[in-house]
Amino acid sequence: MKTLILGGTREARDLAAIASGEQGFDVVSSLAGRVRDPLLPVGAVRVGGFGGVDGLREWLVANEIEAVVDATHPFAGIISAHVAAAAADLPLVHLRRPSWSEQPGDRWIRVPDLPTAAKTVAAQGNRVFLTIGRQGVGVFAGLTRPWFLIRAIDPPEVTLPPKHELLLARGPFTVADESRLLADRRIDLLVTKDSGGDQTDAKLTAARSAGLPVVMVDRPPLPEGAVVLENVAQVWDWLRSAAEQSG
Ligand code: NAP
């Protein structure tokens, strides 16, 4: 079964590694091309946008795709909406790792989006650790009072807030490293997206231990009626039964 995996996540790479080795599956992974030196999935890979819903629909037809797995990051809301529209006639599943959940000792401030996160920072942040990736950092550019520690894999290509330090690093990070960072930079507020998973959650444990508030940005919604599974094993089962049904 010719399968497209929309990727850019560890789950997408894990799924590609499983499916690429299986008889009866012909898998191609797709990356947006945002990261300069991406971790590449096993097997065939294409890189770059499709050109909106119409471009994606054409690409699916031209490449005779029979099933699609949207294994993009929970905050990649546009491509998830695009694929729901473009692959409406195909078996399609969205792989979404569970959200993070608050634990005793956490001081989370849940906000619906980045602009609301910026308002919260303006109101109560002095030394702010911004761990939202490099996209979206521009929303904080107008905040001239707080100092920011901005962590991203590649340098942001947008205007940054005037007082900041840029830290280029790729997770996973340890709790000890995160705790040291919070203490060294005298952080008093952490801002993160609710990415979920265990690759980048050490900062939450460190913030809890330090008693720091965390501005937690909620995920964008998935398209209505979307089929959603939360881990690679479930999606692999789903793919195998889709292959059986397609005969
Ligand atoms: P997005 O806002 O949902 O999508 C913007 C545009 O990027 C889409 O319209 C599409 O362009 C292109 N695109 C996105 N994902 C693609 C993919 N897997 N293959 C081909 N084209 C793709 O996406 P984003 O938030 O910029 O994320 C881009 C990529 O980075 C995704 O693969 C995602 O899994 C990964 N990622 C994102 C985050 C995050 O926080 N957003 C974090 C880690 C990894 P066209 O309209 O031209 O098709």
Side-chain angles (χ1 to χ4, degrees), residues 13-177:
R13 289 190 295 277
D14 288 350
L15 184 64
I18 295 169
S20 296
E22 283 293 320
Q23 215 179 353
F25 284 90
D26 180 2
V27 174
V28 57
S29 296
S30 175
L31 302 178
R34 298 271 188 282
V35 179
R36 280 184 199 162
D37 182 20
L39 301 172
L40 287 174
V42 173
V45 181
R46 66 161 302 285
V47 181
F50 296 93
V53 175
D54 290 342
L56 178 52
R57 194 179 284 124
E58 281 163 25
W59 191 94
L60 293 171
V61 172
N63 289 274
E64 300 174 334
I65 296 296
E66 299 170 270
V68 183
V69 177
D70 167 25
T72 55
H73 189 269
F75 279 81
I78 296 173
I79 190 71
S80 294
H82 283 185
V83 74
D89 298 336
L90 293 175
L92 164 67
V93 69
H94 301 266
L95 198 175
R96 281 292 175 279
R97 62 181 88 125
S99 288
W100 284 320
S101 53
E102 216 166 334
Q103 297 187 23
D106 279 333
R107 295 172 58 203
W108 290 6
I109 305 158
R110 280 212 174 260
V111 296
D113 49 34
L114 286 172
T116 314
K119 280 186 195 151
T120 310
V121 169
Q124 68 178 81
N126 294 306
R127 295 185 62 84
V128 182
F129 185 14
L130 206 52
T131 62
I132 57 166
R134 70 184 172 137
Q135 298 184 67
V137 172
V139 171
F140 296 82
L143 301 186
T144 53
R145 186 189 53 79
W147 177 89
F148 289 89
L149 173 64
I150 299 171
R151 185 168 67 193
I153 296 176
D154 290 323
E157 288 162 352
V158 293
T159 308
L160 300 178
K163 290 187 244 167
H164 73 266
E165 174 189 339
L166 183 60
L167 182 60
L168 298 181
R170 188 190 326 240
F173 307 100
T174 67
V175 175
D177 286 344

